[in-house]
Amino acid sequence: LSLPPCCALAPALPFMKMDRNSNAGIEALVPSAHSAERSSFSAPAPSSEGGANKLTSRQLAMNLICGGLGTGMFSLPSSTAGSSLLPAFVMLLGMVVLNAWTIMILVDAAEAHQVFDIGALVGLLPHRVLRGRLRLGALAQAFINAMVVVVCMISLISYLIVIDDALVPPVTLAALCMVPLCFLEQRYLSWSSAVALLVNVYIIAVMGVLFVKTSSSDEGLPHGSCLLGVGKGSISMLAVLGQCFVVQMCVLPMYEELEDRNPRTFKHCLLIAFGVLAVIFGLFALLGYLTFGPKVSGNALKDLPHATYTAIARIGTILVASALYPIMAIPMVAPVRNMASSRYGTSCTKLLTTLTIFAMVLTSYIFALIVPDLLVVNVIGGALCVGVFASVGPGLVGLYLTRSEGASWKALMYVLILFGMANAVAGIVFPDNYEGDMSSHCAISAVQ
């Protein structure tokens, strides 16, 4: 468990150089919250001078890896049950290609215009709408910033669900525990990224042990797993993969802080990071699906047997989710604090900040009660991520802010935008894995 697609909000990834006496390291990874501490929610951040607090290629690759390890991974076995193994791996590779391509569209445009925030970048779009009364860039910027908040709220909901799934008490306890954590300073939560990476590695190791034990037992692996089939559960697989891989809202501030910054070096780091993530996600999806069968839960950790080594995995998950919850609250709290501090006194600022935190926790708590299934939350969140950050945003940037021109390129950008919109609608309409549909449409079984 680590940072979800809003991963840029992590205060201090362990592989990143930090200056104890400055916030440069933090600001490098905080697009929306970082901008909120300035004059606007999405103002472009100036590149830091010199070599201080710069990311090396290795550090950038490790940050990208940490950024992809989120709660979406826990739903991969369930979504694989709705799509079958071979199509799932094809979609995994396709999502890697799609995200790498669209990220480089954003990076190339950011370098050309020297703007390193996705909201500020789309704010440069030139064309006007509504008979010239509203600039497309202003509309796109407001939409992107709003979607960052929506996706981060979905992440908060997923954290509460994960904690609740690992605990015997109800989700109410988890929500109550989040309130005081949201008032902590970020430096007290900086350990979360290092622990998160270790917890993810440990969980995959646990899954490998369970797979070996199950396959070597007298009963063997559960029957019903499908190697090749066609079903509408493929929609959920694509969305969950989006929840895992979409980091477009994070990459521009990361790219800005890259040592000897250039798109070619960033692309090399990106491909390494996505290659590692593809192996991790592929292993977890494969082991979880074959070990627990087509009835695997939307959160595969719920199906872990009760033992000491699995209890360690659950405890680690609770700790990391509890630490990441207040980090993901930054883009919702920081704008309110910034606005209040510029207009009102200290006491009023504290009051509004406190009310915002309570409202945020209450909202995520209510939705966690209404939709307690992690798979559904990840499908909706992933569909929105693919639709907005991996398709519509890069598509608009590719149309108006890159050097690429010609009818074929424009047609490709329009196709990208339409794909993202269709994926977002499909994910919201079909948020389940529909594994029962796959059982009747399976051509080749994975377990005989």
Side-chain angles (χ1 to χ4, degrees):
L1 179 68
S2 184
L3 307 176
C6 291
C7 60
L9 306 173
L13 293 178
F15 314 102
M16 180 178 180
K17 293 181 180 178
M18 297 288 292
D19 183 349
R20 294 183 180 180
N21 299 317
S22 74
N23 290 325
I26 295 175
E27 291 178 349
L29 294 180
V30 185
S32 298
H34 158 57
S35 304
E37 296 297 337
R38 299 182 184 270
S39 60
S40 67
F41 187 74
S42 187
S47 180
S48 57
E49 300 294 334
N53 301 310
K54 289 292 185 178
L55 288 170
T56 65
S57 298
R58 176 181 172 275
Q59 290 167 336
L60 175 60
M62 295 303 294
N63 285 350
L64 288 169
I65 292 171
C66 283
L69 294 173
T71 58
M73 185 181 79
F74 300 150
S75 295
L76 283 175
S78 180
S79 56
T80 301
S83 63
S84 75
L85 281 171
L86 288 182
F89 282 104
V90 170
M91 284 186 281
L92 187 151
L93 295 177
M95 188 59 66
V96 169
V97 173
L98 173 66
N99 279 279
W101 175 48
T102 55
I103 284 173
M104 290 312 301
I105 291 176
L106 296 175
V107 168
D108 288 337
E111 181 64 28
H113 296 274
Q114 293 296 293
V115 174
F116 302 98
D117 179 290
I118 187 171
L121 185 62
V122 298
L124 300 178
L125 295 174
H127 287 245
R128 293 181 175 271
V129 295
L130 299 180
R131 297 180 180 179
R133 289 177 293 182
L134 183 64
R135 192 164 56 89
L136 178 59
L139 181 63
Q141 183 175 9
F143 175 68
I144 290 292
N145 287 335
M147 289 309 301
V148 168
V149 174
V150 170
V151 170
C152 288
M153 176 57 71
I154 291 175
S155 296
L156 298 184
I157 297 169
S158 71
Y159 287 144
L160 289 181
I161 294 173
V162 167
I163 295 173
D164 181 53
D165 288 343
L167 286 172
V168 175
V171 70
T172 305
L173 177 62
L176 291 174
C177 292
M178 294 305 106
V179 174
L181 290 177
C182 289
F183 289 94
L184 287 177
E185 295 182 18
Q186 295 180 43
R187 58 193 177 96
Y188 295 118
L189 303 170
S190 61
W191 53 268
S192 59
S193 295
V195 176
L197 187 59
L198 293 176
V199 169
N200 277 278
V201 172
Y202 181 77
I203 288 174
I204 292 177
V206 168
M207 201 66 71
V209 171
L210 290 174
F211 173 78
V212 172
K213 284 186 175 182
T214 304
S215 60
S216 59
S217 65
D218 295 336
E219 295 82 6
L221 296 172
H223 293 280
S225 299
C226 184
L227 180 64
L228 178 62
V230 179
K232 57 184 178 181
S234 298
I235 296 174
S236 67
M237 184 66 194
L238 191 64
V240 172
L241 286 171
Q243 185 78 336
C244 293
F245 279 106
V246 173
V247 291
Q248 276 77 344
M249 64 285 286
C250 314
V251 295
L252 296 187
M254 289 184 182
Y255 173 68
E256 182 186 17
E257 295 301 314
L258 177 62
E259 192 174 65
D260 299 324
R261 183 181 71 222
N262 65 81
R264 179 175 296 182
T265 301
F266 182 86
K267 183 178 181 180
H268 177 71
C269 299
L270 182 66
L271 293 178
I272 291 175
F274 274 10
V276 173
L277 289 174
V279 172
I280 291 175
F281 295 149
L283 278 175
F284 190 82
L286 175 67
L287 295 175
Y289 179 43
L290 293 180
T291 301
F292 301 127
K295 298 295 183 180
V296 59
S297 300
N299 177 7
L301 298 186
K302 291 177 65 176
D303 295 333
L304 295 178
H306 292 284
T308 302
Y309 68 99
T310 57
I312 294 174
R314 291 189 176 93
I315 293 173
T317 301
I318 293 171
L319 289 176
V320 176
S322 299
L324 292 179
Y325 186 101
I327 293 173
M328 296 308 301
I330 293 173
M332 287 171 274
V333 176
V336 175
R337 183 187 295 115
N338 182 66
M339 178 195 69
S341 62
S342 64
R343 299 182 181 181
Y344 312 110
T346 303
S347 58
C348 187
T349 299
K350 290 182 178 180
L351 176 61
L352 288 176
T353 301
T354 301
L355 292 176
T356 301
I357 290 175
F358 274 99
M360 175 193 63
V361 174
L362 179 62
T363 301
S364 61
Y365 165 68
I366 291 174
F367 277 98
L369 287 176
I370 297 174
V371 189
D373 189 344
L374 183 64
L375 175 65
V376 174
V377 173
N378 280 331
V379 169
I380 294 175
L384 292 176
C385 283
V386 173
V388 176
F389 300 110
S391 299
V392 174
L396 291 174
V397 170
L399 280 173
Y400 301 113
L401 300 178
T402 62
R403 297 185 180 91
S404 300
E405 297 180 355
S408 59
W409 174 260
K410 290 184 177 180
L412 188 60
M413 291 300 99
Y414 284 120
V415 169
L416 176 63
I417 293 172
L418 291 175
F419 165 78
M421 295 173 64
N423 183 80
V425 173
I428 295 173
V429 175
F430 301 103
D432 200 0
N433 67 344
Y434 303 99
E435 59 85 17
D437 180 63
M438 176 54 62
S439 63
S440 59
H441 294 85
C442 182
I444 304 175
S445 298
V447 178
Q448 302 298 328

